[in-house]
């Protein structure tokens, strides 16, 4: 007689797009968990890995990521061929994970879902891109197909799931406020006037906390994308152009080559010192905050917050999201924790995979 878990055996074919820092961390996590998941009746079958110019296809590899580093197994990348390979012809469950930051990849999501592939991504460009495309992606989620994107907002923190649970149980979102950038959180936490802001930014860059070009963090656009995703999850038809974004990059530094910008970081010191002084004069702290109010107004800015505000007590690269809802009105609901790094981002993607796997129809 077979063990009970074999009667509920679920097989999930998985294809990974984007084997960079997050993708590689995810493969390592999946490989480590593979035996444990199999004991619970879930068999993960890695069918391939696709990078920007090449892909690896192998549906018979007994160990996740066992052969991905062998050059002779790679071929020129073709996303249509890759998706068809992962989907297979046996009618089994199949899933694509997009760990790229590529808008062209995101344009395939609706088609993949319609073709019978679940999709998971930490790629923010789908959720914050054209509203019509976002709507088409969700419209393609029929017949049990699922699109999950927890890691697009705060890496591994359960922000999207919390919001989804609130709404699904009949709550109403009134407002959302958050510190959605681990990089800017770290800079605000460290910016106390003891060191010039430029010195802190150079340190963050050396530690790998910033993007290769720190202006991508300082511009606030990445945070604005995350706010758009949260708003759309709550049913608001918000687009990136609707968000009022305060950039921390002085106009004179916007169009410079990367190397020249890094050489002129000292030009950030005076304006940032002035904002810090204003915060201290008001008895508050300076924090980088994204906000969506009950009227749909959205903004991303440096804000002076009272020292008693929950955001005043964040640490290191903490992300924190505050949901003000009909139920959580007088005492808003907070989700807080590390919101940056490949390991925690990969864990958020992994959690989405497990949620989808739990809903799969078992096979005897």
């Amino acid at each position: 007689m077979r063990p009970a878990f074999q009667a509920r055996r679920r097989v999930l074919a998985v294809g990974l797009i984007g084997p960079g820092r997050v993708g590689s961390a995810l493969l390592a996590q999946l490989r480590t968990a593979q035996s444990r998941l199999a004991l619970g009746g879930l068999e993960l079958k890695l069918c391939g890995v696709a990078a920007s110019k090449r892909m690896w296809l192998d549906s018979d590899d007994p160990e996740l990521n066992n052969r991905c580093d062998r050059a002779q197994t790679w071929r020129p990348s073709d996303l249509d061929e890759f998706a068809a390979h992962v989907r297979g012809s046996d009618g089994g469950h199949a899933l694509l994970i997009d760990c790229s930051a590529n808008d062209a990849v995101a344009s395939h999501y609706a088609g993949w879902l319609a073709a019978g592939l679940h999709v998971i991504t930490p790629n923010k460009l789908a959720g914050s891109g054209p509203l019509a495309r976002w709507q088409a992606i969700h419209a393609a989620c029929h017949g049990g197909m699922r699109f999950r994107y927890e890691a697009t907002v705060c890496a591994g923190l359960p922000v999207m799931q919390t919001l989804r649970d609130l709404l699904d149980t009949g709550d109403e979102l009134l407002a959302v406020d958050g510190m959605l950038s681990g990089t800017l959180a770290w800079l605000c936490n460290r910016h106390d006037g003891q060191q010039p802001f430029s010195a802190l930014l150079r340190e963050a860059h050396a530690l790998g906390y910033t993007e290769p070009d720190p202006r991508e963090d300082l511009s606030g656009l990445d945070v604005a994308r995350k706010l758009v995703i949260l708003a759309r999850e709550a049913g608001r038809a918000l687009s990136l152009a609707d968000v009022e974004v305060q950039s921390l990059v002085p106009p004179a530094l916007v169009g410079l080559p990367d190397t020249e910008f890094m050489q002129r970081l000292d030009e950030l010191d005076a304006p940032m010192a002035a904002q810090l002084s204003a915060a201290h004069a008001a008895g508050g702290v300076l924090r980088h905050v994204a906000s969506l109010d009950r009227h749909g107004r959205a903004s991303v800015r440096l804000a002076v917050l009272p020292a008693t505000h929950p955001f005043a007590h964040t640490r290191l690269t903490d992300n924190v999201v505050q949901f003000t809802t009909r139920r959580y009105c007088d005492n808003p609901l907070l989700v807080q924790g590390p919101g940056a790094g490949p390991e925690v981002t990969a864990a958020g993607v992994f959690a989405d995979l497990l949620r989808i796997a739990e809903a799969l129809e078992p096979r005897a």
Side-chain angles (χ1 to χ4, degrees), residues 12-73:
L12 180 60
V14 177
L16 174 74
I17 300 167
R21 294 172 62 205
V22 172
S24 296
L26 177 62
L27 285 172
Q29 291 177 11
L30 294 176
R31 185 173 63 248
T32 300
Q34 192 175 17
S35 298
R36 172 177 54 80
L37 295 175
L39 288 174
L42 175 60
E43 179 184 341
L44 296 180
K45 187 176 183 181
L46 183 68
C47 293
V49 176
S52 59
K53 295 182 179 179
R54 58 180 188 165
M55 64 183 183
W56 166 83
L57 304 179
D58 191 341
S59 59
D60 299 314
D61 195 337
E63 183 181 346
L64 282 166
N65 202 28
N66 189 43
R67 291 170 51 197
C68 287
D69 58 350
R70 298 186 184 179
Q72 66 267 27
T73 67

Side-chain angles (χ1 to χ4, degrees), residues 326-346:
R326 180 171 48 81
R327 293 177 187 148
Y328 295 91
C329 185
D330 297 329
N331 188 17
L333 175 63
L334 293 176
V335 180
Q336 181 175 344
E343 294 292 335
V344 292
T345 303

Side-chain angles (χ1 to χ4, degrees), residues 81-98:
E81 180 185 354
F82 184 78
H85 175 79
V86 175
R87 181 67 186 88
S89 58
D90 61 357
H93 302 298
L95 181 150
L96 287 175
I97 301 173
D98 173 24

